[in-house]
Amino acid sequence: MDYISPKEAVLKVKRWPKDTIAAGRRHTVGLKSDGTVTAVGDNKYGQCDVSGWRDIVAVAAGNVHMATNTGNAHTIGLKSDSTVAAVGWNKHDQCDVNDWRDIVAVAAGWRRTIGLKSDGTVVAVGRNNEGECNVSGWHDIVAVTAGDWHTIGLKLDGTVTAVGNNRYRQCNVSGWCDIVAVAAGYLHTIGLKSDGTVTAVGWNKHDQCDVSGWRGIVAIAVGSNHTIGLKSDGTVAAVGWNEYGQCNVSDWREIVAIAAGCAHTVGLKSDGTVVAVGENEYGQCDVSGWRGIQLPGN
């Protein structure tokens, strides 16, 4: 019998986060319980062309901040055989994931894609102008998230590592501990602690980092300039930029998963339906007809 170190044993049984809803700059993606995927919103680069996907276990959507010269996005699907599918904008080769193997979790940032391997190492493709893809030295990683220009990795011991743009101190996470989930936005980074509280670093112009009073949080999601927290009672908290009503979630109930796009917020309900608020110029919030979306942990 092969010897397995305690660390390897934990990595083997670790439940890698697998998002079943994802929100990008102008589109929203949902994984159905039968392994197929549905998408609404802007499809300029084919980022919603997921109707042919099968055997998907997680989805991710490339996000980007609100600016007139941006908006291009891509969509990533993690398959049950640990390979990865990609559609959408590929100017920086961010969709070149055909050769990836042994992937257990995926994240999509602006112009890049991040893959977590079962051995705790990380791979990345896409734009690397600010070192946001410099993850080849990472190890013992159990979760990854990608902001616009920075990439965050959650380690097995509850600490956090970061690469990429740090102009607003969004990568100053070296002191974090007891973290169980991470999320990255345009210029800020959020960490969920094991006690249900939340910590934040980075740009706070819109109060998107004002989460110190949050309690009982079980999941987090981050848009460009807003932060969403799922509470243990199925309600949702929100702070930050609210120009499009993307933080108007106080009446949500029975939510089991959350996702945040640039300026919209998506919630998965316990019955497999989906709610959304925020910018809807491209129909990215038109999810009221969705049914049978895969619940997390199932």
Side-chain angles (χ1 to χ4, degrees):
M1 192 170 151
D2 293 336
Y3 172 73
I4 298 179
S5 72
K7 186 171 73 177
E8 285 175 317
V10 174
L11 277 172
K12 281 181 183 295
V13 302
K14 171 70 184 180
R15 288 183 60 138
W16 291 284
K18 289 184 169 55
D19 294 323
T20 62
I21 52 172
R25 167 65 176 86
R26 299 166 174 159
H27 75 298
T28 303
V29 183
L31 170 62
K32 302 187 80 168
S33 53
D34 63 0
T36 63
V37 180
T38 186
V40 291
D42 180 25
N43 197 31
K44 181 181 176 183
Y45 284 90
Q47 62 264 44
C48 290
D49 293 346
V50 294
S51 60
W53 286 7
R54 299 289 182 273
D55 301 316
I56 303 295
V57 294
V59 288
N63 203 353
V64 55
H65 62 283
M66 181 80 65
T68 55
N69 65 335
T70 63
N72 307 333
H74 65 298
T75 303
I76 300 296
L78 174 62
K79 303 187 76 171
S80 57
D81 64 359
S82 299
T83 62
V84 179
V87 290
W89 191 45
N90 196 33
K91 180 180 179 181
H92 302 271
D93 301 327
Q94 61 265 45
C95 290
D96 292 357
V97 295
N98 290 341
D99 60 341
W100 283 10
R101 300 290 182 271
D102 205 25
I103 303 296
V104 292
V106 288
W110 185 42
R111 306 185 180 194
R112 74 187 182 286
T113 304
I114 310 294
L116 171 62
K117 303 189 75 170
S118 64
D119 63 359
T121 61
V122 180
V123 289
V125 289
R127 183 180 187 266
N128 195 32
N129 293 26
E130 303 190 68
E132 61 266 52
C133 287
N134 294 349
V135 296
S136 59
W138 286 8
H139 54 87
D140 299 334
I141 303 295
V142 293
V144 287
T145 184
D148 271 33
W149 296 300
H150 69 297
T151 304
I152 303 292
L154 173 61
K155 301 191 74 170
L156 186 60
D157 63 2
T159 62
V160 180
T161 187
V163 290
N165 182 291
N166 196 31
R167 182 179 173 190
Y168 293 93
R169 300 181 297 280
Q170 64 265 43
C171 288
N172 290 4
V173 295
S174 59
W176 287 8
C177 57
D178 298 320
I179 303 295
V180 295
V182 286
Y186 172 33
L187 297 168
H188 74 298
T189 304
I190 304 294
L192 173 61
K193 302 191 74 169
S194 57
D195 64 359
T197 62
V198 180
T199 187
V201 290
W203 200 42
N204 197 34
K205 180 181 179 182
H206 302 279
D207 300 329
Q208 61 264 49
C209 291
D210 292 354
V211 294
S212 59
W214 286 7
R215 298 289 183 274
I217 305 296
V218 295
I220 49 175
V222 174
S224 284
N225 294 305
H226 70 296
T227 302
I228 306 295
L230 173 61
K231 302 181 80 169
S232 56
D233 63 0
T235 63
V236 180
V239 290
W241 186 47
N242 196 33
E243 182 175 337
Y244 294 88
Q246 62 264 45
C247 290
N248 296 350
V249 295
S250 59
D251 61 338
W252 286 8
R253 298 290 183 272
E254 297 176 19
I255 304 297
V256 295
I258 48 175
C262 171
H264 72 295
T265 304
V266 182
L268 172 60
K269 300 190 72 170
S270 56
D271 63 359
T273 63
V274 179
V275 288
V277 291
E279 191 204 12
N280 196 32
E281 183 182 352
Y282 296 85
Q284 62 264 50
C285 288
D286 294 347
V287 296
S288 60
W290 286 10
R291 299 288 183 275
I293 301 300
Q294 176 73 39
L295 303 182
N298 287 7

